[in-house]
Amino acid sequence: MSFKLLAEVDRLDCLLRDIKRLQASHIKASNLGNGIPSIEVHRPNARGVPSLLETVYVHSVLSVGKTTFTSELYAYFEEHRELYARTLNHWYRLDVSGDRRQDA
């Protein structure tokens, strides 16, 4: 098996574990760690798959203020009035100071 295929399997396995934890209600924001990216502006977009249009304000790779699309959106949950979204690649903490729920 190629290295690229193994990396993809690992990424999908991680996503599956997170979705199963959400389904079983075993996920808490405190389990996500402090290093999850935070995005300021979010809304669904029409690029063919559910994803978010984001303006980044805390991210380990992207510049502050950069606007981009996330990977495919799979799940979200709310805890203590904070919203978290799980995309194919990452967890995100969403700033919901604007319209509370614009997601699908």
Side-chain angles (χ1 to χ4, degrees):
M1 213 182 290
S2 74
F3 178 74
K4 185 174 181 180
L5 183 57
L6 288 173
E8 187 69 13
V9 168
D10 288 344
R11 182 170 65 148
L12 292 172
D13 187 50
C14 183
L15 173 64
L16 180 60
R17 282 193 315 269
D18 284 346
I19 289 173
K20 285 182 176 181
R21 288 170 48 207
L22 273 172
Q23 182 181 23
S25 300
H26 292 149
I27 199 156
K28 303 275 188 238
S30 59
N31 300 127
L32 302 179
N34 294 329
I36 66 171
S38 297
I39 56 178
E40 186 170 58
V41 177
H42 62 92
R43 64 178 186 258
N45 67 73
R47 67 171 203 157
V49 296
S51 59
L52 300 170
L53 177 64
E54 62 177 329
T55 301
V56 176
Y57 65 96
V58 175
H59 198 285
S60 60
V61 177
L62 300 175
S63 303
V64 172
K66 178 162 178 60
T67 300
T68 187
F69 292 103
T70 66
S71 57
E72 293 87 343
L73 177 64
Y74 281 89
Y76 64 89
F77 77 99
E78 187 172 356
E79 182 178 291
H80 305 296
R81 302 185 61 106
E82 289 191 296
L83 191 61
Y84 299 86
R86 179 57 160 99
T87 67
L88 177 60
N89 296 323
H90 299 287
W91 278 105
Y92 289 94
R93 183 185 339 265
L94 305 179
D95 180 347
V96 292
S97 58
D99 190 357
R100 183 82 180 136
R101 293 251 172 134
Q102 296 180 20
D103 49 351

